Amino acid sequence: MRCPSCGYLESKVVDSRSADEGASIRRRRECLECGMRFTTYERIAENPILVTKADGSSEVFDRQKLMRGLLIACAKRPITPEKIDNLISSIESELRSGQRNEIRSRDLGDMVLARLAGLDDVAYIRFASVYKDFQNVEEFSEALKDLG
Ligand SMILES: [Zn+2]
């Protein structure tokens, strides 16, 4: 399992527990290169969550891809990779618990932003500016207002 931070392929399992009411096993892994801890889930193959983009195309929800985007948004901010990992886990379990197999990329972005808003303003704005394609200044200031 490739480390989401440095890309190294070797990691060790530091914790393993049942999740989603026994439907999956959650493993905490530690990268043997950089020491970053991240989470993997083992579960019976099920329908993947599809993320539909504005142009109508869709792709399979990819934890690691979201992790990379968030690591960039949170660069040099006081947010540990562990917090980012937990943020993604909470999104994934919300999607799975709602039995949703499909989500619009914009809605996924909103789910991320809702969680980032409580964590760090700078990371929120960085992520918002990349993830939402703001049509105009008004829309951007609306997003800033949401910061409260
Ligand atoms: Zn690493």
Side-chain angles (χ1 to χ4, degrees):
M1 194 68 68
R2 189 183 295 275
C3 169
S5 181
C6 74
Y8 197 68
L9 285 168
E10 305 280 329
S11 61
K12 66 175 179 190
V13 175
V14 292
D15 184 42
S16 190
R17 64 181 65 179
S18 176
D20 301 334
E21 294 171 345
S24 62
I25 296 171
R26 178 181 191 271
R27 292 206 167 88
R28 293 292 294 161
R29 292 172 181 272
E30 186 175 306
C31 173
L32 295 181
E33 178 68 20
C34 73
M36 177 177 168
R37 292 194 169 189
F38 55 99
T39 306
T40 58
Y41 286 89
E42 181 182 318
R43 56 168 62 89
I44 295 168
E46 57 187 322
N47 293 337
I49 296 168
L50 287 179
V51 180
T52 313
K53 294 189 255 184
D55 65 5
S57 66
S58 58
E59 60 185 24
V60 174
F61 173 74
D62 181 351
R63 241 190 117 83
Q64 303 306 334
K65 186 179 170 189
L66 186 52
M67 175 60 109
R68 285 194 294 276
L70 279 164
L71 282 169
I72 292 167
C74 297
K76 296 182 178 150
R77 300 303 302 166
I79 303 174
T80 59
E82 184 136 20
K83 274 192 187 161
I84 299 175
D85 195 63
N86 289 339
L87 187 155
I88 297 173
S89 293
S90 107
I91 287 175
E92 200 174 3
S93 67
E94 186 180 324
L95 291 172
R96 301 237 175 243
S97 69
Q99 308 285 312
R100 296 175 69 172
N101 289 328
E102 200 169 343
I103 184 169
R104 291 186 309 163
S105 65
R106 188 163 187 126
D107 293 339
L108 179 61
D110 286 343
M111 287 174 78
V112 174
L113 288 172
R115 287 162 174 80
L116 275 181
L119 276 182
D120 187 85
D121 289 354
V122 173
Y124 176 97
I125 293 167
R126 283 187 193 148
F127 192 84
S129 63
V130 174
Y131 214 91
K132 293 189 161 188
D133 47 313
F134 291 109
Q135 297 301 312
N136 52 46
V137 178
E138 283 80 358
E139 207 179 339
F140 190 62
S141 11
E142 277 302 314
L144 293 184
K145 265 190 242 155
D146 288 348
L147 289 174

